[in-house]
Amino acid sequence: MRRIGGAVLANVTDGFGAEGGSTITQQLVKQSFLSTDKKLKRKLQEQWLAIKLEREYTKEQILEMYLNKNYYGSGAWGVQAASKTYFNKPVSEVNYQEAAILAGLPQRPSAYDPISGDQELTRYRQEQVLSAMKRDGHITEEQYNKALDVKIADIISPGAQSEAESYTRSIYARVQAELEEDYGLEQADIYGTGLKVYTSINKDLHTKFNSDIKSNNVNIPNGAFPEDLRMGATVLNTKTGEIIAVIDSQQAKQGDKNYRDYSREKRQIGSTAKRSSTTVQGLRTRNGRPAKC
């Protein structure tokens, strides 16, 4: 009730929807029975059902249900699925370094995701959890320092991806980023509410480009592909501006220690705009009328 009261005050001072006031019990109720709408009716239902749930189950049982229901990023629902996604092992076998990552994910799964998120943020969150574990006597100072000496990329061990999965992960990453940035959705909303998303991707071209780049089947003048060269691309339909293909990088494995999504690197577009405008200008000059583009 104290948490709800604080949220009510924040909604009065900062506007409705500023804070949801959700305890773990309320989040479990929302995920299990209710929509994600920020409406007063739904919030009252959530609070009432949370009270009833706590009358029937202990805090430990509610926490267990929450951990098995919650979203952990990378399409993983529940801590068991998350453990297999990130470490390729059941949750009963994780060590304290891995457990600290899992424990930190529910707060911001998209940001702390050690595969498709920012690994610096993953480390920041892991360090917070490890610090709490040390404070409460679950690990020693030596274990704490040892854990921080290991890079996040060396901790995660994703299972093998199929060729199709390695091609399409860049699409999911881009769509997810746009839904989060443009519409304020969270991963749990994106993957858990029946949302349907339609893209302009040309599947045949997308597959072809990914296959060629990831197998180094590209035209290099001297015939040799430098081992340290990395490529990525975003292919546009210059007439409509639609993205028709995305190639994130050459690495076929998600979670590769050197993996970066090069299709989202902030680079100058080079001659892309120049070539497009030159073509249009040429058409104008040749027929004396504005070109269709």
Side-chain angles (χ1 to χ4, degrees):
M1 297 307 294
R2 180 177 60 185
R3 183 69 190 92
I4 294 170
V8 170
L9 180 61
N11 280 279
V12 170
T13 57
D14 301 328
F16 184 73
E19 286 189 19
S22 290
T23 63
I24 284 180
T25 307
Q26 287 176 259
Q27 290 180 51
L28 176 61
V29 166
K30 182 177 69 173
Q31 293 171 358
S32 302
F33 309 115
L34 303 173
S35 70
T36 57
D37 295 337
K38 289 187 175 181
K39 294 181 179 179
L40 182 58
K41 179 181 177 181
R42 198 272 295 165
K43 202 65 194 175
L44 291 173
Q45 291 174 327
E46 178 185 301
Q47 292 167 6
W48 171 242
L49 289 172
I51 292 172
K52 291 178 69 67
L53 194 67
E54 292 200 347
R55 287 175 178 171
E56 298 292 331
Y57 298 95
T58 66
K59 292 285 189 181
E60 288 75 15
Q61 289 173 318
I62 290 172
L63 180 59
E64 181 180 349
M65 287 186 276
Y66 171 79
L67 294 176
N68 286 318
K69 187 84 176 178
N70 201 56
Y71 185 66
Y72 285 79
S74 288
W77 292 87
V79 70
Q80 179 75 290
S83 180
K84 291 181 178 179
T85 296
Y86 298 126
F87 311 120
N88 200 25
K89 64 173 73 170
V91 71
S92 60
E93 296 179 8
V94 299
N95 60 38
Y96 72 95
Q97 297 167 318
E98 296 162 341
I101 292 176
L102 293 176
L105 281 169
Q107 187 186 52
R108 293 178 63 198
S110 57
Y112 299 142
D113 183 327
I115 292 179
S116 58
D118 185 336
Q119 291 193 354
E120 290 186 9
L121 289 177
T122 306
R123 166 46 55 85
Y124 165 76
R125 182 60 174 153
Q126 183 204 34
E127 188 173 351
Q128 286 184 317
V129 177
L130 288 169
S131 180
M133 293 170 71
K134 182 183 69 169
R135 179 197 66 209
D136 294 339
H138 299 296
I139 59 173
T140 64
E141 181 80 26
E142 182 181 357
Q143 287 176 308
Y144 172 80
N145 293 328
K146 182 179 179 181
L148 296 182
D149 285 338
V150 183
K151 294 180 180 179
I152 296 297
D154 293 331
I155 298 175
I156 61 173
S157 179
Q161 280 190 311
S162 68
E163 186 178 77
E165 287 173 329
S166 73
Y167 292 175
T168 57
R169 69 179 174 209
S170 55
I171 301 174
Y172 283 99
R174 186 174 291 263
V175 169
Q176 178 179 299
E178 291 188 14
L179 290 172
E180 290 174 346
E181 294 164 9
D182 297 343
Y183 297 95
L185 297 177
E186 298 178 355
Q187 281 195 12
D189 300 323
I190 296 169
Y191 291 101
T193 57
L195 188 66
K196 292 183 179 180
V197 178
Y198 299 88
T199 75
S200 54
I201 296 293
N202 181 314
K203 185 177 180 181
D204 291 337
L205 287 176
H206 177 85
T207 301
K208 171 64 176 172
F209 291 146
N210 271 275
S211 177
D212 286 345
I213 286 183
K214 293 185 179 185
S215 62
N216 294 344
N217 183 27
V218 291
N219 185 17
I220 301 295
N222 61 7
F225 197 96
E227 291 185 4
D228 59 347
L229 183 62
R230 292 290 176 263
M231 283 196 297
T234 299
V235 185
L236 301 177
N237 180 333
T238 57
K239 294 183 178 181
T240 63
E242 293 175 320
I243 295 175
I244 59 174
V246 181
I247 305 93
D248 51 358
S249 79
Q250 289 152 280
Q251 292 96 331
K253 281 188 175 182
Q254 187 167 234
D256 188 291
K257 295 177 184 178
N258 300 314
Y259 172 75
R260 283 167 64 182
D261 185 347
Y262 289 95
S263 71
R264 301 187 69 190
E265 294 283 326
K266 294 183 178 179
R267 303 287 187 207
Q268 292 292 333
I269 60 174
S271 298
T272 304
K274 181 180 72 177
R275 287 172 182 165
S276 180
S277 61
T278 301
T279 302
V280 172
Q281 186 59 43
L283 290 172
R284 286 176 184 270
T285 303
R286 186 162 49 245
N287 57 29
R289 297 191 305 272
K292 294 181 179 180
C293 62

